[in-house]
Amino acid sequence: MTSSDIKTLLRRRLLARRQHVSEDEMQAVNARIVAQTIQTIDWPNIHSLHSYAPISSQREVETWSLFEYAWQHWPRIRTAAAGTLQGTLPQSWFVDQNTLWQRGHPPIAKDASSVSRDYQFDVIIIPLIGFDSSGYRLGYGGGYYDRFLKTQQSAQTIGLGMACCFLGSDLPHEPHDIPLQWVITETHRYRCGR
């Protein structure tokens, strides 16, 4: 079985596991993960934050309250959200509390300006399906975030996922995969690679 086959099987299994989490439990998981993420970020020393617009149907960790925290407590920080995939990188927009969103899979910022491909972020929040103890993540399989992270060499990288998706040291990875510095779940903050 190839590395790609193993990842496909793991992806299927972990996505099914996420779908079995109840709405009440998911809300509690989200609250704990966001609280730990807020504690991990060095807010006074950053100028920009990039996160993803969560796809609720995929049970991704909710990041809206993280954006709201930044807007309320650190309004000088420039925030951006990744939404649609365009070409080989995620399409991102600069967003704030006044941004209008078009519902979709993922949601799309309707009235926001696009982030240029060479913009450098201080912190990047990344969704994950599974992860290992070295900070390698299992995503949806397109390699978009690995390509994005190659353009963001100095950013602090934080993956958000559920504790039930921890794979120990069993996740196969390729030479082009980039490990995250942190992975945050509802039960742990893992300091990883990079």
Side-chain angles (χ1 to χ4, degrees), residues 61-121:
V61 173
E62 180 272 316
T63 54
W64 300 119
S65 54
L66 182 62
F67 281 122
E68 289 166 5
Y69 175 86
W71 297 331
Q72 182 178 1
H73 298 282
W74 303 97
R76 65 168 180 72
I77 294 175
R78 197 153 195 208
T79 53
T84 58
L85 301 173
Q86 201 173 61
T88 60
L89 296 172
Q91 174 63 49
S92 302
W93 302 277
F94 287 113
V95 296
D96 61 27
Q97 62 270 28
N98 298 315
T99 300
L100 298 175
W101 292 90
Q102 176 181 323
R103 292 175 66 109
H105 180 83
I108 299 169
K110 289 173 63 175
D111 61 341
S113 60
S114 291
V115 176
S116 68
R117 295 286 185 210
D118 59 348
Y119 190 89
Q120 296 297 299
F121 289 95

Side-chain angles (χ1 to χ4, degrees), residues 10-189:
L10 286 171
R11 190 175 291 115
R12 230 179 264 142
R13 186 178 76 197
L14 296 175
L15 284 170
R17 190 179 290 173
R18 279 195 337 197
Q19 291 300 327
H20 285 95
V21 176
S22 72
E23 282 299 322
D24 288 344
E25 187 179 353
M26 194 68 206
Q27 287 182 6
V29 163
N30 283 329
R32 288 193 293 269
I33 291 173
V34 168
Q36 291 203 76
T37 304
I38 288 170
Q39 292 175 2
T40 303
I41 296 172
D42 183 13
W43 297 98
N45 293 309
I46 69 167
H47 298 91
S48 58
L49 170 77
H50 183 283
S51 186
Y52 58 94
I55 304 171
S56 56
S57 64
Q58 293 291 339
R59 310 290 274 196
E60 288 183 340
V61 173
E62 180 272 316
T63 54
W64 300 119
S65 54
L66 182 62
F67 281 122
E68 289 166 5
Y69 175 86
W71 297 331
Q72 182 178 1
H73 298 282
W74 303 97
R76 65 168 180 72
I77 294 175
R78 197 153 195 208
T79 53
T84 58
L85 301 173
Q86 201 173 61
T88 60
L89 296 172
Q91 174 63 49
S92 302
W93 302 277
F94 287 113
V95 296
D96 61 27
Q97 62 270 28
N98 298 315
T99 300
L100 298 175
W101 292 90
Q102 176 181 323
R103 292 175 66 109
H105 180 83
I108 299 169
K110 289 173 63 175
D111 61 341
S113 60
S114 291
V115 176
S116 68
R117 295 286 185 210
D118 59 348
Y119 190 89
Q120 296 297 299
F121 289 95
D122 296 315
V123 176
I124 300 173
I125 308 293
I126 300 164
L128 49 85
I129 295 171
F131 65 98
D132 70 10
S133 55
S134 297
Y136 288 103
R137 66 181 279 279
L138 180 66
Y140 294 103
Y144 295 98
Y145 275 99
D146 286 317
R147 286 189 290 274
F148 178 50
L149 293 181
K150 282 186 181 170
T151 71
Q152 301 287 323
Q153 296 290 322
S154 61
Q156 179 185 32
T157 56
I158 303 172
L160 305 184
M162 290 190 236
C164 66
C165 297
F166 177 57
L167 297 168
S169 58
D170 296 334
L171 182 60
H173 58 275
E174 311 301 325
H176 63 268
D177 292 336
I178 297 176
L180 303 172
Q181 294 172 340
W182 290 91
V183 174
I184 299 177
T185 72
E186 71 274 24
T187 59
H188 289 90
R189 286 192 299 168

